Amino acid sequence: MNFELKTLDLKAAVSHACDALIVLVTADFKPATDAVSRLIAQARASGDLDATPAKLLSIWRTPGVTASRVVLVSVGEGSARLVRQAVTAAATSLKAAAPKKITICLPDGTQQRLQAAAQAVADASYVYTATKPSAKAAVLNRVVLALPSAAKTQAAKDDFAHARAHVAGVALAREWGNRPANHATPSMLAKVAQTLGKHKRVRCQVLGPKEIEKLGMGSFAAVARGSHEPMRFIVLHYDGAAKTQAPTVLVGKGITFDTGGISLKPGAGMDEMKFDMCGAASVLGTFEALAQLQPAINVVGLIPTCENMPDGTALKPGDVVTSMSGQTIEVLNTDAEGRLILCDALTYATRFKPRAVIDIATLTGACVVSLGAVRSGLFSPSDELAHALQEAGEAALDPCWRLPLDDEYAEGLKSNFADVANVGGRDGGAITAAKFLQRFAKDYPWAHLDIAGSAWKSGAAKGATGRPVGLLLQYLLGTVAKPAKSTQRRAA
Ligand code: BES
Ligand code: MN
Ligand code: ZN
């Protein structure tokens, strides 16, 4: 989808050529004398345009307006959340009309609003076609984001670039999340990463079974053992700053299908375990956004990826494996496989002397029970890192919620036969999983995002969401070093 930023007040919007004009109307809207303003004023007066957020009024071929369709939509006080809600409602209402070019008239203002509008229209018009030839591909290909006066400022241009990169990153994560396991194997994810590696400042390295074994990743390799698909360890680099600047490392869980292994999952709904690589997809999506934006930071992406299958060669309950860290692990449940592949990637991360490491994983059903689909679970022993991630989530409308890491939660992970067991009891399952990971993340500030509830939707709207690319991108852009005040003055 092509986005464009334009200066366009309502007076100019009247003669603007597009298939559909979406006009966001704030509660304090002051009508001017143009045709659209008059329409809004009349609709308000007659009670046809309710001021309740997301209430809309569609108008077809109105005299004096070039666009053949006008959708007026209320946005209350105009917060980013309400902008998202309003644009979603308006774009959804236009689906049957299948417009090719939409123009959205926004109030002047924040990056968040621009991003919310862009993401909402992209989400509403997404169509999955990769394995569904009968699906009608999306026809919408041009979206103009119109601001009444501010579009020419550098701030607006930067905000727009961020919004556009955000949309592209989410789209990539969403698309790969959706692809079925036989169309998104570990080797195929590695290909996606290699393609990203062609961008300026991006490098990609892919390790296969031999190299992974050689590194001593016995825990990761043990999970992959039951599958005929060869495992991959993907290493992505985005080098946007001096080599001396410590990178942020993102680690994404890439289980392309989770049957549970010998601790087999029940059949109902098992198809949704194709989404068990959404953490990996969010890392790939974030790199797509970084490649577009080229910010002055260093980022490393690590993706351990394999299938979790039952087989004669598969890992068995009670087996003890040796992780790359040297710690041995008693595998009491082969369905707790995410932590087994992540722990070795967390150990590998140490070599980059990172400023912070964030892992992203569809890790536990328990997290879905705790937080549902609204907020991702956030775990971190570092208040500073936790706060930065929480704030990024709020700003990007991709929120998370912090859960505790008291040592008492690790009690259940004790084992008589290894340094640690891979499961505790049923209670507090999202936290025990995080406590397991924490043992392997002692060398740097670390945070863990459990996206089991937020990464995809079930039911009629079944599909990946592309989360938490928004949160990650927002967070990473916040780590760009700001020039010191004195240097700024000297430069000016
Ligand atoms: N991928 C699942 C987690 C999951 C389950 C995400 C359901 C979304 C919906 C993970 O590998 C898993 O199976 N976790 C187990 C852990 C348990 C065995 C301690 C779980 O949550 O049941
Ligand atoms: Mn599992
Ligand atoms: Zn899993």
Side-chain angles (χ1 to χ4, degrees):
M1 192 173 308
N2 292 305
F3 286 94
E4 206 182 315
L5 181 67
K6 259 208 167 109
T7 305
L8 206 68
D9 58 12
L10 288 186
K11 206 168 140 225
V14 168
S15 52
H16 174 74
C18 61
D19 301 316
L21 188 66
I22 297 176
V23 183
L24 271 56
V25 185
T26 50
D28 63 356
F29 175 77
K30 306 252 179 340
T33 54
D34 60 273
V36 175
S37 281
R38 265 186 276 125
L39 264 179
I40 295 171
Q42 284 163 6
R44 275 272 161 87
S46 65
D48 287 292
L49 181 63
D50 199 317
T52 315
K55 276 285 157 70
L56 47 87
L57 179 65
S58 302
I59 302 149
W60 182 68
R61 291 206 179 160
T62 188
V65 180
T66 305
S68 53
R69 285 185 171 76
V70 179
V71 181
L72 307 176
V73 56
S74 295
V75 278
E77 95 278 14
S79 70
R81 243 186 79 246
L82 293 176
V83 166
R84 177 171 70 180
Q85 207 186 331
V87 173
T88 302
T92 307
S93 79
L94 285 165
K95 263 207 169 145
K100 291 192 190 68
K101 180 182 173 188
I102 288 184
T103 296
I104 307 174
C105 296
L106 294 158
D108 271 333
T110 62
Q111 197 272 328
Q112 269 111 301
R113 278 186 186 161
L114 216 53
Q115 182 161 314
Q119 193 55 53
V121 73
D123 278 342
S125 62
Y126 171 83
V127 183
Y128 175 83
T129 59
T131 55
K132 189 173 174 179
S134 61
K136 262 210 202 115
V139 290
L140 177 65
N141 60 23
R142 280 187 68 194
V143 178
V144 175
L145 299 173
L147 298 175
S149 60
K152 289 256 159 55
T153 64
Q154 191 55 44
K157 283 181 188 161
D158 291 349
D159 292 349
F160 175 68
H162 178 176
R164 190 152 67 167
H166 170 271
V167 168
V170 169
L172 187 124
R174 191 172 178 189
E175 177 61 27
W176 280 95
N178 278 336
R179 294 201 183 180
N182 63 333
H183 293 264
T185 61
S187 318
M188 292 179 198
L189 292 189
K191 281 235 172 69
V192 177
Q194 272 160 339
T195 307
L196 286 169
K198 292 188 181 138
H199 284 110
K200 192 176 137 198
R201 291 172 155 178
V202 183
R203 291 182 280 143
C204 173
Q205 188 190 3
V206 176
L207 310 185
K210 278 197 194 112
E211 292 140 308
I212 294 166
E213 300 269 7
K214 208 167 151 216
L215 278 167
M217 294 184 166
S219 184
F220 173 24
V223 174
R225 232 165 52 198
S227 166
H228 292 280
E229 283 295 335
M231 63 182 160
R232 294 285 182 262
F233 189 71
I234 303 169
V235 184
L236 276 160
H237 288 264
Y238 170 76
D239 308 311
K243 276 205 182 76
T244 49
Q245 198 167 308
T248 305
V249 179
L250 305 178
V251 181
K253 172 178 173 182
I255 295 290
T256 57
F257 198 79
D258 182 11
T259 65
I262 297 298
S263 314
L264 196 64
K265 285 183 181 295
M270 205 208 274
D271 65 288
E272 295 193 7
M273 283 300 119
K274 72 171 184 177
F275 294 117
D276 212 15
M277 37 57 76
C278 283
S282 77
V283 174
L284 296 172
T286 303
F287 268 78
E288 168 75 36
L290 292 173
Q292 279 203 15
L293 274 177
Q294 300 281 309
I297 49 173
N298 291 329
V299 184
V300 175
L302 301 177
I303 299 175
T305 172
C306 67
E307 288 181 341
N308 185 22
M309 300 288 284
D311 185 73
T313 61
L315 189 60
K316 302 170 293 297
D319 282 1
V320 173
V321 300
T322 304
S323 68
M324 188 182 180
S325 72
Q327 297 176 72
T328 58
I329 304 164
E330 185 183 15
V331 181
L332 290 174
N333 190 322
T334 65
D335 197 10
E337 85 297 338
R339 60 198 82 180
L340 294 176
I341 71 168
L342 290 169
C343 68
D344 282 339
L346 289 171
T347 301
Y348 189 87
T350 303
R351 68 181 57 199
F352 302 107
K353 301 191 174 60
R355 54 171 294 286
V357 177
I358 303 158
D359 76 71
I360 310 102
T362 48
L363 203 63
T364 65
C367 192
V368 190
V369 175
S370 310
L371 296 172
V374 181
R375 285 176 184 266
S376 307
L378 164 67
F379 301 83
S380 180
S382 156
D383 287 342
E384 194 188 329
L385 183 55
H387 291 155
L389 288 166
Q390 273 171 312
E391 270 173 31
E394 299 303 320
L397 301 183
D398 186 358
C400 58
W401 196 258
R402 192 176 181 187
L403 292 164
L405 281 171
D406 302 83
D407 281 336
E408 287 81 350
Y409 285 110
E411 280 300 309
L413 294 173
K414 286 189 175 147
S415 160
N416 289 347
F417 304 104
D419 297 328
V420 64
N422 78 328
V423 292
R426 206 175 66 100
D427 296 347
I431 312 172
T432 35
K435 287 307 286 182
F436 177 91
L437 294 176
Q438 193 181 10
R439 297 176 63 100
F440 301 86
K442 297 277 186 219
D443 297 339
Y444 40 68
W446 161 79
H448 158 59
L449 287 166
D450 193 333
I451 58 165
S454 56
W456 77 88
K457 292 179 187 158
S458 304
K462 192 190 288 182
T465 60
R467 290 176 67 186
V469 169
L471 182 160
L472 294 171
L473 183 64
Q474 187 82 33
Y475 167 74
L476 289 171
L477 295 179
T479 67
V480 176
K482 312 255 180 328
K485 279 217 172 104
S486 58
T487 10
Q488 258 176 347
R489 231 177 288 129
R490 225 174 296 139

